[in-house]
Amino acid sequence: MTAFPERRLRRLRATPALRRLVAETDLAPRHLVLPVFVKEGIEVAQPIATMPGVHQHPLADLPAVVEEAAAAGVGGVMLFGVPAVRDAVGSGATDPDGILNRAIAVAAEAAAGRLTVQADLCLDEFTDHGHCGVLAADGSVDNDATLEVYARMAVAQADAGADILGLSGMMDGQVRAVRAALDAVGHSRVAILAYAAKYASAFYGPFRDAVESTLDGDRRTYQLDPANGREGVQEALVDADEGADVVMVKPAGPYLDVLARVADVSPVPVWAYQVSGEYAMIEHAAAAGLIDRDRAVVETLLGIRRAGAETILTYWAVEVAQRLRAGEVRA
Ligand code: PBG
């Protein structure tokens, strides 16, 4: 390698055309998936105070939300349900008339194959205690009893027309249990997105408002310790072994190292979830006049792609896809 003055690294940065030519990472609408909150029993969309610009939608809004996302070219929508009633075992999750299952059917019809319909497969929105699984007599989250409920929830979501099921509960064996349940009833085409390396994170705070979480306590007995990188890689490999079609790292920004390590070794596609707290930080900092919002948004997404995510779940999915299409953001 030559050194300065023959080597001048600024040479390729000199003009927009040169920079565009040598950019290693790009962003396209298909790389983005929009999370959508659907709430039972409301008539008009409700703003979520902790997430400026994000709403809880009534079921009736969903066709328009899906239409806008499809028109923007995003890769999919990830649906979350906010039920009117919750109970100890999360019955609303397995009921075909439950809000999430109804939302899947409505979204699938509206999407008409133009984008993928994905659904959160977890009990926390449906249980009155707010945990991601059912509880044992001693109050702990019962892994194996939860798998049985996830299996039924998966079949209900597949029956409703979901393309991809997002397993976010962090129970051991959940991918295997869901794959077996789906295949047993002929849903072998439905794909599994495993939230493989999901950390016990403070950055889910705004989301818990969005789904009106009832959780008292934390999820540290099932979500990963933020201190552990190797364990995140192991989770991804185990989930791929169990049959996950895609593995995900979550949150994204604070775990780019884990994302890069998973991307290095994963035999399946690797996605990342830019979570509610990552969204809220930028929106609130921008509202306070502290940061150039539009540039910051794209910079975080590029960083997540650069670290190794092929697809990103982000609350900015439609907005950024529209800006990409309008040529305001370099693709
Ligand atoms: C669990 C789930 C959570 C998120 C997505 N799926 C919450 C949690 O684990 O507490 C968080 C997403 C976000 O913060 O944007 N169903």
Side-chain angles (χ1 to χ4, degrees):
M1 268 247 203
T2 54
F4 180 84
E6 293 79 16
R7 175 155 303 269
R8 288 180 181 270
L9 291 171
R10 290 182 54 191
R11 198 173 284 129
L12 293 181
R13 300 175 198 150
T15 68
L18 276 166
R19 293 195 292 272
R20 176 167 158 268
L21 181 68
V22 299
E24 294 173 36
T25 310
D26 63 357
L27 202 54
R30 72 179 185 91
H31 296 141
L32 307 172
V33 171
L34 178 72
V36 178
F37 301 107
V38 183
K39 182 172 173 178
E40 189 169 13
I42 56 172
E43 299 289 321
V44 291
Q46 308 285 322
I48 298 164
T50 51
M51 301 175 69
V54 181
H55 295 80
Q56 293 176 323
H57 293 281
L59 200 55
D61 271 10
L62 199 50
V65 171
V66 170
E67 186 58 46
E68 189 185 33
V74 304
V77 290
M78 170 60 77
L79 303 173
F80 293 92
V82 186
V85 181
R86 303 173 190 217
D87 64 21
V89 294
S91 306
T94 49
D95 178 353
D97 281 331
I99 184 65
L100 180 54
N101 294 321
R102 288 170 61 202
I104 293 167
V106 169
E109 191 181 336
R114 291 172 299 164
L115 51 69
T116 59
V117 173
Q118 312 180 15
D120 187 53
L121 200 165
C122 189
L123 287 179
D124 62 319
E125 283 90 46
F126 297 94
T127 52
D128 51 14
H129 46 75
H131 273 296
C132 294
V134 294
L135 304 184
D138 65 0
S140 65
V141 176
D142 186 334
N143 192 90
D144 298 11
T146 300
L147 297 185
E148 196 268 320
V149 185
Y150 284 179
R152 286 189 283 122
M153 187 175 185
V155 171
Q157 294 185 340
D159 285 345
D163 299 302
I164 302 177
L165 310 187
L167 278 58
S168 68
M170 291 299 287
M171 295 299 122
D172 285 331
Q174 62 183 11
V175 173
R176 199 162 89 139
V178 163
R179 184 73 272 158
L182 290 172
D183 291 352
V185 296
H187 282 307
S188 55
R189 72 158 189 94
V190 175
I192 293 177
L193 157 64
Y195 287 46
K198 178 171 178 181
Y199 286 84
S201 174
F203 291 96
Y204 307 146
F207 173 95
R208 294 194 183 160
D209 268 2
V211 298
E212 300 167 20
S213 172
T214 52
L215 182 68
D216 178 21
D218 62 57
R219 307 198 197 285
R220 287 177 221 230
T221 69
Y222 43 105
Q223 298 181 347
L224 292 172
D225 184 332
N228 296 351
R230 188 198 296 129
E231 195 181 352
V233 176
Q234 194 187 5
E235 281 279 7
L237 292 175
V238 165
D239 282 357
D241 256 6
E242 287 188 19
D245 299 286
V246 178
V247 293
M248 188 148 77
V249 174
K250 174 184 176 185
Y255 298 90
L256 293 183
D257 59 324
V258 178
L259 186 53
R261 287 166 73 177
V262 170
D264 274 348
V265 296
S266 176
V268 297
V270 178
W271 296 7
Y273 196 144
Q274 183 178 52
V275 302
S276 57
E278 299 177 77
Y279 174 89
M281 281 196 301
I282 289 182
E283 289 292 346
H284 287 282
L290 307 177
I291 195 168
D292 179 334
R293 175 189 179 280
D294 292 359
R295 283 186 58 201
V297 167
V298 171
E299 186 173 333
T300 60
L301 294 171
L302 268 182
I304 295 163
R305 290 261 305 145
R306 190 190 64 241
E310 288 151 80
T311 299
I312 305 168
L313 276 68
T314 173
Y315 299 96
W316 289 303
V318 168
E319 175 194 318
V320 171
Q322 288 169 343
R323 284 169 57 199
L324 284 162
R325 290 215 149 173
E328 289 165 30
V329 180
R330 198 187 62 203

